[in-house]
Amino acid sequence: MGKIKRIGVLTSGGDAPGMNAAIRGVTRTALYYGMKVTGIRYGYHGMIHNDLVEMKANSVSNILARGGTILKTARSKEFMEAEGRKLAYENLKAAEIDAVVVIGGDGSLTGARVFCDEYYDIPFVGIPGTIDNDIYGTDYTIGYDTALNTVVEAVDKIRDTAGSHNRLFFIEVMGRDAGFIALSSGIACGAEAILIPEVHGQVSNLKEYLQKDFKRNKSSNIVIVAEGNESGGAFAIAESVKDDFTDFDVRVSVLGHIQRGGTPSAHDRVVAGKLGFAAVEALMDDQKSVMVGYHNNEIDQVPFRKVIKLKKKVDPDHLQMVEILSI
Ligand code: ATP
């Protein structure tokens, strides 16, 4: 065995279904290779406040089907400060943790990078875990597939009632900065329009665009709105257009936190298990400050530097495709 004797593992930022499969992947791979594993509860908060738990093989039994994260998660303001990170470093040293695997979104990976720039002797490897799928360097983030399926199921149900009552529905989905969930769920559900944070000026075209559908008497119209859309959320947009569609009942549904929960999909579990395994292997190969990602069905290592600096882009051509497919 190499110089790493003990690995710390944590989940940070928003929880995402499949994080448990990643924790399991990290824990069992490290144990298999003769390392010890410490679970750090509540992300960076637990690192600063010494909330540590010894992980055995059975600590991760029967968790694959559970949403959320058994290690809990948090957002830590203290870790944003040098003083907080110093405390975290001292705690890792005292607990004899030689390396850390961080499972979280771009904020969590940014925190890992900042820490590694200050303290060189504890390598960090990241695993992309967020329902938003907005991390550069990986085709999938853990939790995205499950969240997408949850949205699709909900929108299908809303479509049934929308069609029965001639309703125009504005459905708000998660995505403060990224439209991946909105775009893919819109394609999957045949939405008439999709409003995403990455594209500007969409609402001004919306009335004219939807009027076309109304002229040909569609029995329902669904507009998917990513929460970070520039014109506000679904309620604000519905309010601004409702007088133009007096023949239709305009309704709003905000899907909210149901999008984070639930049993992880098979896809999320597979990706999470593979990335958990790969993260430990990366540490054993002396890698540091990298994220393990999933690219064209292969596991890749991407430096934190790139992950943080570069932005994963939605393909705006897909919006035009949605227009065509909903004629
Ligand atoms: P999600 O995509 O689900 O929101 P996330 O990982 O992006 O997840 P954030 O709240 O952005 O969630 O970040 C999680 C934590 O990472 C923060 O609470 C903070 O402790 C740490 N962090 C983020 N940015 C920095 C930074 N610039 N310096 C130090 N720590 C940071």
Side-chain angles (χ1 to χ4, degrees), residues 133-164:
N133 203 30
D134 59 347
I135 297 185
Y136 179 86
T138 186
D139 295 343
Y140 306 110
T141 59
I142 295 167
Y144 172 64
D145 185 64
T146 308
L148 188 55
N149 280 298
T150 302
V151 171
V152 167
E153 204 185 321
V155 176
D156 284 348
K157 287 178 177 159
I158 291 171
R159 176 74 84 178
D160 288 345
T161 182
S164 305

Side-chain angles (χ1 to χ4, degrees), residues 12-14 44 75-76 79-80 85 104-108 110-111 114 130 132 176:
S12 167
Y44 295 126
R75 304 188 198 270
S76 166
F79 198 78
M80 310 280 282
R85 293 191 295 275
D106 58 346
S108 304
T110 305
V114 170
T130 166
D132 293 330
R176 265 175 304 170

